[in-house]
Amino acid sequence: MALPLNRCGSTLHLWERAEIEFHSSRTYENPYTDVMMWVDLSGPGFEKRVYGFWDGADVWKVRLTVTRAGEWSWTSCADVQDPGLAGVSGSINAIEWTTAELKANPVRRGFIQPSANGHGFQYADGTSVYLLADTWWPAASFRFPWHDDDEPRPLGPDAGFKDFVAFRKGQGFNCIAMISCFPTWADDGNPNRWFLPGQEDLCLRLAWPQGRSGTAKDMHNEGGRPFLFPGRVPGFEAVVPDYDRVNPDYFHCLDRKIDHLNDKGFVAFIEAARRDIVRVWQKHYEWPASYTRFVQYVFARYQAHNCLLSPIHYEAPNHTIPAREYNEPANLLVDTYGPPPFGTLLGTNSNPSSLVNYGGPDEARWLTFHQIGNRREHEYYWYLTEIHRSEPARPALNGEPFYPGFDGNPADTPRAEANCRSAMYGSFLSGGLAGFFYGVQGVWGGDVEPDAEYHLWDSLQFESGAQVGYLRDFVLADGNRYLDLVPEMELVVPSKSGPPDGYRGWAYCAATPARDLFMVYFESGCPLQAKLRGCIRNATYAARWFDPRTGVWVDSTDTLVSNQICTLKLPARPDRADWGLVVRLATP
């Protein structure tokens, strides 16, 4: 949990999350909409406004952190006359973590920020980090149950959130992606359909994945649902909540999960809401101000956590407003409240890419890292290359690639595993230098119903998930030099021996500008032997094969010398399966 700060002076480690609690001296009809409060925070090289949030009853909180060692001070303010919320002051003594403490938990190194060249991620202290995430979109709900005790439970129906985190940590994951809430999702007996009668222009309900009864999937947690009832949509007051009345009890349950992730060294990727709620929000509430207020509420709750934030989960362009219309509330957020005060990066799950959906910085002033997703075959990895070539440089990753089981074929099979490896290695070498988000049927939807095809606890144990951690070994084959790679799949010949709408027969390549390092990935179905072009003329190179199924390196004994036209014949692959290859300059 966040360290409570007293008003007489507190000691806080750098990047440690902290919380100041305030109690209003007045009563408000709707505290969520009627009051905005904040603290003005000052410290070494820092002077910003840090917004708070209403946390139920008469309680307001401000969550903050400190970015440099030294003396800090804060003073509370509000847009109402309330001595319980405004005019309160305090001080903080910020200190460094020890080397051992930093080693014990990498998120103590500071919030995620762009690497020096803008293409990857690093912690605030400059240590590079390649994110490997799992997609637990309904992690805030009861589907990922919370146990107050720390007793380990085997993966199965009795396991909980802490057990799932521990399992993924053991496999090398360091990030969890989630949606903060699904406001209209409940197994309330209404038919599972996109539109409610008389509201055909409003996207209220998800056609898939459906719950066991054929109605919308339950997404409540121990605190209830994220907004209060009755709602304000005429005729559907019991189905659609009131988006102007938030339920803090719901978010209390999410708080402890985000706390736990950071405590275990994980970064959280938190998307405010899924796109299926936006049409009704736009029609029945003050748009974009009401939605902007909610996104700011989510951001204020988690601004002191080591996380990535998103204003919307936009994984399908149908049944929602056009993508660029989301720029209106998102730009309003940064224009009104400023960017997140501690530098938290903002992105969004997108289809096909956030660059295509929202545009560059002239249109999407809020967007500070890029994603692709939901176009799953290998022809779509190119969107990462497009991002890599765009200016200004932004970190990029594949946020929702191939899901085992998603295509109607069995999930726990060698075929599904090979498809996942195509997405992992193909995305990295196409420009996804910031990280990779894995997903699998059963986990991404939090499937816990007795008759589910794949249960959450079973899908977590599929071999495709175990192979994700090997990707980092490949990425770091030459240390941080992966950040200098430029994606150019045409450097490997042939590069497209298979169809565009699949996962077989394509090869990917990225190289440093000096061409002293090439990294290559061959899907199964590629010819056994290929060549590189664009090498240094008449230079000797050394090669190492990488088995993405086991994470084992295999040295090549072939002597590799480029010719007069700068091409290099590569050694034959060890077998017809997919393989990674690292080619380094040995002598000029």
Side-chain angles (χ1 to χ4, degrees), residues 67-83:
T67 58
R68 288 189 188 177
E71 295 302 316
W72 293 65
S73 62
W74 56 267
T75 300
S76 69
C77 307
D79 63 355
V80 294
Q81 296 295 320
D82 190 326

Side-chain angles (χ1 to χ4, degrees), residues 148-458:
D148 287 329
D149 64 76
D150 291 325
E151 185 70 25
R153 294 169 173 81
L155 293 186
D158 296 327
F161 186 85
K162 296 177 185 177
D163 305 297
F164 304 150
V165 170
F167 186 76
R168 282 298 193 228
K169 183 175 181 178
Q171 293 178 318
F173 287 78
N174 58 5
C175 181
I176 296 297
M178 65 183 70
I179 300 173
S180 79
C181 63
F182 298 75
T184 61
W185 288 30
D187 190 356
D188 51 20
N190 290 284
N192 183 26
R193 55 187 172 229
W194 283 102
F195 306 118
L196 294 176
Q199 299 286 330
E200 284 76 11
D201 60 331
L202 305 181
C203 182
L204 301 176
R205 194 165 299 284
L206 181 67
W208 136 113
Q210 63 184 24
R212 55 182 173 155
S213 65
T215 60
K217 211 169 186 179
D218 278 327
M219 290 296 182
H220 65 273
N221 64 24
E222 298 91 332
R225 292 171 69 178
F227 294 90
L228 299 178
F229 287 85
R232 286 168 34 188
V233 179
F236 302 100
E237 292 85 354
V239 176
V240 184
D242 186 346
Y243 294 131
D244 279 344
R245 292 193 301 143
V246 75
N247 173 21
D249 288 341
Y250 172 91
F251 290 95
H252 293 157
C253 299
L254 179 55
D255 289 350
R256 60 196 183 192
K257 291 179 176 178
I258 307 300
D259 285 350
H260 184 75
L261 287 173
N262 275 187
D263 290 345
K264 297 302 179 182
F266 280 70
V267 173
F269 173 55
I270 309 170
E271 303 208 276
R274 191 176 179 277
R275 46 84 188 167
D276 55 286
I277 63 173
V278 172
R279 286 198 179 187
V280 67
W281 207 316
Q282 190 179 52
K283 180 171 182 176
H284 291 275
Y285 292 82
E286 184 183 359
W287 183 269
S290 175
Y291 189 73
T292 296
R293 181 193 302 116
F294 170 65
V295 175
Q296 171 61 15
Y297 182 86
V298 173
F299 285 14
R301 289 198 80 102
Y302 304 112
Q303 65 194 1
H305 290 78
N306 201 327
C307 63
L308 304 170
L309 292 171
S310 165
I312 193 69
H313 179 88
Y314 184 83
E315 88 293 2
N318 298 324
H319 307 294
T320 185
I321 66 175
R324 272 171 165 72
E325 290 190 29
Y326 291 105
N327 280 336
E328 187 178 13
N331 284 334
L332 179 62
L333 184 141
V334 297
D335 292 345
T336 303
Y337 303 101
F342 306 107
T344 308
L345 297 182
L346 304 182
T348 177
N349 187 42
S350 297
N351 182 346
S353 83
S354 51
L355 180 62
V356 170
N357 292 152
Y358 305 102
D362 55 329
E363 294 182 85
R365 297 187 298 278
W366 57 277
L367 191 62
T368 50
F369 76 94
H370 279 300
Q371 290 181 239
I372 71 165
N374 294 282
R375 301 290 174 127
R376 304 176 191 279
E377 294 79 17
H378 53 196
E379 65 176 307
Y380 296 105
Y381 308 159
W382 172 86
Y383 285 97
L384 288 165
T385 305
E386 181 183 43
I387 291 168
H388 193 279
R389 293 170 178 168
S390 67
E391 294 183 356
R394 292 278 192 263
L397 53 84
N398 192 335
E400 197 161 10
F402 174 82
Y403 282 171
F406 186 85
D407 57 356
N409 292 298
D412 193 20
T413 64
R415 174 186 176 277
E417 293 158 16
N419 293 356
C420 281
R421 295 193 299 270
S422 165
M424 285 189 277
Y425 294 85
S427 294
F428 167 61
L429 294 177
S430 296
L433 305 184
F436 178 82
F437 287 14
Y438 166 81
V440 62
Q441 203 78 354
V443 174
W444 71 265
D447 296 343
V448 297
E449 290 81 9
D451 58 354
E453 182 178 9
Y454 299 105
H455 288 113
L456 165 61
W457 47 85
D458 292 328

